[in-house]
Amino acid sequence: MEECVNCRDPSSLSVRCLHSAAGYSSWTKPFLTFLRSATSPSHFAMSRRVVRQSKFRHVFGQAMKADQCYEDIRVSKVTWDSSFCAVNPKFVAIIVESGGGGAFLVLQLAKTGRVDKNHPLVCGHTAPVLDIDWCPHNDNVIASGSEDCTVMVWQIPDHVALRSITDPIVVLEGHSKRVGIITWHPTARNILLSAGSDNMIIIWNVGTGEPLITLDDLHTDLIYNVCWNRNGSLICTTCKDKKVRVIDPREQRIVAEKLAPHEGMRPMRAVFTREGNIFTTGFTRMSQRELGLWDPKNFDEPIALQEMDTSNGVLLPFYDPDSNIVYLCGKGDSSIRYFEITEEAPYVHYISTFSSKEPQRGMGFMTKRGLDVSRCEIARFFKLHERKCEPITMTVPRKSDLFQDDLYPDTQGPEPALEAEEWMAGKNADPILISLRDGYIPPKNRELKFAKKNILDNKPPLGPRRSYSTCESNFSRVTVEELMDEIKSLKVIVQSQERRITELENKLSKFTNGTA
């Protein structure tokens, strides 16, 4: 400890006092005061508080190279705020332009590169397709909603189809206007929800083709968005009447609702978080985009409310319950913003933004089962351009090559926790979780079981669309293994017959030569 001879100011610095060495100047004393405060314990404590500790503070987004994209795809130009893309560990499905009706394209994930212009489509709708969603319990089953007022469920084969798929296994008819929202139940088998422009929500049992629940008097205007909570006991909806509703579908009643969580008139979106809160995106009165976090048990005040930017694109939220990260993709934007939701103020923490040059027409979000855990990949998006689909990976850089337990807690697996009848009886169950430690190994898929009394043996009516929910009598398709076995047996028969024909021809030639 030394004392300055000029100002008699004690200094804890182990350097010469600037007052005596260089002459007193006007900046010397403030500079020394700053140095003392910067080295104080209280300053270091404040610095520790500023830097938030999180394993997701550094999430690195990267677009795949050109040879890993899907080229020459005519993405749909329908003006509907849907993601236009759905992905699972086997397939990527994209709504495309199609003449004479509606169609979507299904590609195997590994089949990257240029897509043949004559590639088979899934085309059974008579009007444009508005929304698609893969079944979480069967990677070969996908549902689609269309402007033709119908919902169709399709079984996609593992092998590449040679012709377009035109016959759905189930046609669900009950809406009087276009069907713009399709979403499967997260834990119950064969439960599918659809919402249409008739302000109606219908919950179907796909196994029987019958509607289980019809909610036709809870919404007074166009429904923008529907989302299940984690165990499928509640749904959250946003509507053009500026209300966010939490609904118990089995009791057909509104549990909670909030008027104008975002004051703007443009569409809102809402998703349930892991803790049961509701994350919303919308617009302020001045047309600024805004996000909010709400407790449905106390809808009066938001947990968090943040303004973002000024843009017309509707923000589509994609939520990962394992990491509690929500990714915001605006239609027409060229960026993906991501936020972490925690229990500490300000509750919704901005992490970073992935930016690219071209705007996005739509976006697909891969389930955790389809990620590459060896590369510390925590999310993968499939960005739709005007003529291609570009995968984008989100990774957390780690030096170790070992499995990162903190990045990959047990996640939702493909096995349903409930049957449709159990859920209708009032039973709830959380998703059955699986570990990704050794990488995800998909189980052998079972075909979607569809049964309805007195119609299985009936032939479907003629025409491009069926008038009721049914399937062909030979719906119980054989598996690929059985087909291969039958082909092998037929080849053996053909070879034996060829040998027999050769023997008979030789005998015939000897006979003709002898008589000559």
Side-chain angles (χ1 to χ4, degrees):
M1 179 77 71
E2 296 180 0
E3 187 175 291
C4 175
V5 295
N6 290 336
C7 64
R8 303 297 177 185
D9 188 16
S11 172
S12 60
L13 303 175
S14 59
V15 294
R16 236 181 182 181
C17 181
L18 296 175
H19 295 175
S20 57
Y24 187 78
S25 64
S26 60
W27 58 267
T28 307
K29 191 169 184 179
F31 177 68
L32 287 175
T33 305
F34 165 75
L35 287 178
R36 291 192 198 99
S37 64
T39 55
S40 66
S42 61
H43 175 82
F44 288 121
M46 185 175 67
S47 299
R48 285 196 296 271
R49 288 196 298 269
V50 169
V51 179
R52 188 178 66 89
Q53 296 298 319
S54 171
K55 55 181 172 286
F56 300 112
R57 279 204 313 128
H58 305 288
V59 177
F60 178 65
Q62 185 176 20
M64 292 287 193
K65 296 180 180 179
D67 61 343
Q68 295 175 299
C69 298
Y70 307 88
E71 304 278 353
D72 272 0
I73 299 173
R74 298 172 298 166
V75 179
S76 175
K77 296 180 181 178
V78 176
T79 56
W80 182 255
D81 290 327
S82 168
S83 61
F84 288 173
C85 182
V87 293
N88 68 16
K90 283 186 177 182
F91 304 101
V92 52
I94 302 167
I95 302 176
V96 295
E97 286 287 303
S98 176
F104 58 94
L105 176 70
V106 177
L107 300 170
Q108 294 177 332
L109 282 184
K111 300 293 184 181
T112 57
R114 191 175 300 276
V115 178
D116 186 357
K117 64 179 181 179
N118 296 319
H119 192 284
L121 301 176
V122 181
C123 48
H125 288 285
T126 58
V129 177
L130 299 179
D131 196 18
I132 51 177
D133 192 28
W134 287 103
C135 177
H137 310 126
N138 189 331
D139 288 341
N140 292 74
V141 173
I142 187 171
S144 59
S146 168
E147 286 189 3
D148 64 7
C149 310
T150 66
V151 178
M152 295 186 180
V153 181
W154 312 82
Q155 186 113 20
I156 308 299
D158 284 331
H159 61 279
V160 179
L162 300 178
R163 295 184 179 88
S164 293
I165 302 174
T166 57
D167 292 325
I169 54 175
V170 186
V171 180
L172 307 173
E173 294 185 335
H175 289 281
S176 59
K177 293 184 179 179
R178 62 183 180 178
V179 182
I181 300 171
I182 296 291
T183 178
W184 292 87
H185 194 283
T187 61
R189 190 197 309 275
N190 290 347
I191 298 293
L192 178 65
L193 181 149
S194 64
S197 297
D198 50 6
N199 310 336
M200 185 187 301
I201 293 176
I202 302 178
I203 298 177
W204 308 85
N205 182 346
V206 176
T208 61
E210 297 173 344
L212 298 176
I213 299 168
T214 301
L215 306 176
D216 56 359
D217 56 354
L218 300 183
H219 298 86
T220 60
D221 213 327
L222 179 67
I223 301 170
Y224 286 141
N225 159 244
V226 182
C227 174
W228 295 94
N229 66 345
R230 187 163 174 79
N231 65 2
S233 60
L234 299 172
I235 59 175
C236 178
T237 67
T238 59
C239 183
K240 195 174 181 180
D241 61 10
K242 299 180 68 173
K243 286 185 179 181
V244 173
R245 296 173 173 86
V246 179
I247 299 172
D248 186 327
R250 287 169 294 191
E251 295 185 6
Q252 303 187 28
R253 66 181 181 90
I254 297 174
V255 177
E257 67 179 1
K258 170 68 175 177
L259 176 61
H262 303 284
E263 295 181 350
M265 294 299 297
R266 291 187 56 76
M268 296 183 293
R269 289 290 186 274
V271 292
F272 273 105
T273 67
R274 183 177 60 196
E275 291 79 16
N277 294 326
I278 296 174
F279 182 90
T280 61
T281 62
F283 293 81
T284 65
R285 189 173 296 174
M286 303 301 293
S287 295
Q288 283 188 304
R289 293 196 292 195
E290 191 175 42
L291 60 85
L293 185 65
W294 309 82
D295 182 358
K297 297 177 183 177
N298 182 17
F299 249 146
D300 296 332
E301 294 294 329
I303 300 174
L305 194 63
Q306 299 180 19
E307 292 184 1
M308 293 181 58
D309 58 9
T310 302
S311 178
N312 291 328
V314 176
L315 286 171
L316 305 179
F318 296 93
Y319 175 70
D320 177 13
D322 299 333
S323 61
N324 237 2
I325 294 179
V326 62
Y327 302 85
L328 301 184
C329 308
K331 297 207 75 171
D333 288 2
S334 57
S335 62
I336 302 173
R337 296 179 179 87
Y338 32 107
F339 301 78
E340 184 178 4
I341 300 174
T342 69
E343 296 180 354
E344 302 173 358
Y347 305 106
V348 181
H349 305 269
Y350 170 75
I351 299 177
S352 187
T353 299
F354 168 81
S355 298
S356 56
K357 295 180 180 179
E358 298 184 40
Q360 53 228 16
R361 300 279 299 275
M363 192 72 73
F365 187 55
M366 174 66 79
T367 178
K368 271 293 178 66
R369 295 184 287 118
L371 302 181
D372 187 354
V373 298
S374 63
R375 297 176 51 219
C376 296
E377 185 182 23
I378 63 168
R380 189 188 308 166
F381 291 90
F382 287 73
K383 175 181 175 180
L384 299 184
H385 299 252
E386 187 175 355
R387 296 286 297 182
K388 75 173 182 178
C389 175
E390 178 186 43
I392 298 171
T393 63
M394 299 287 179
T395 57
V396 178
R398 293 286 172 92
K399 293 182 179 179
S400 173
D401 293 332
L402 300 177
F403 179 76
Q404 306 296 314
D405 296 89
D406 58 332
L407 296 183
Y408 300 105
D410 289 352
T411 189
Q412 181 173 349
E415 194 65 28
L418 296 172
E419 297 296 332
E421 295 76 16
E422 294 176 312
W423 182 77
M424 276 302 296
K427 188 175 180 180
N428 295 321
D430 289 332
I432 298 176
L433 305 181
I434 60 172
S435 173
L436 298 178
R437 174 173 291 275
D438 299 321
Y440 172 67
I441 301 174
K444 189 174 181 180
N445 277 321
R446 294 177 294 182
E447 290 189 346
L448 175 65
K449 300 299 181 183
F450 175 78
K452 191 172 182 180
K453 295 179 180 179
N454 302 327
I455 66 171
L456 280 178
D457 296 329
N458 294 345
K459 292 183 179 180
L462 298 175
R465 203 180 75 202
R466 306 181 186 188
S467 58
Y468 50 81
S469 303
T470 181
C471 64
E472 297 180 4
S473 58
N474 62 347
F475 167 66
S476 298
R477 298 183 177 92
V478 292
T479 62
V480 175
E481 291 81 3
E482 291 173 343
L483 284 174
M484 296 301 293
D485 292 340
E486 186 175 355
I487 291 172
K488 288 180 181 178
S489 63
L490 289 174
K491 283 183 177 180
V492 171
I493 295 173
V494 170
Q495 289 172 358
S496 63
Q497 295 295 336
E498 286 180 348
R499 286 196 297 269
R500 179 61 178 160
I501 291 171
T502 303
E503 292 174 0
L504 292 174
E505 286 178 344
N506 291 336
K507 289 181 179 180
L508 181 61
S509 63
K510 289 179 182 179
F511 178 76
T512 54
N513 291 335
T515 55

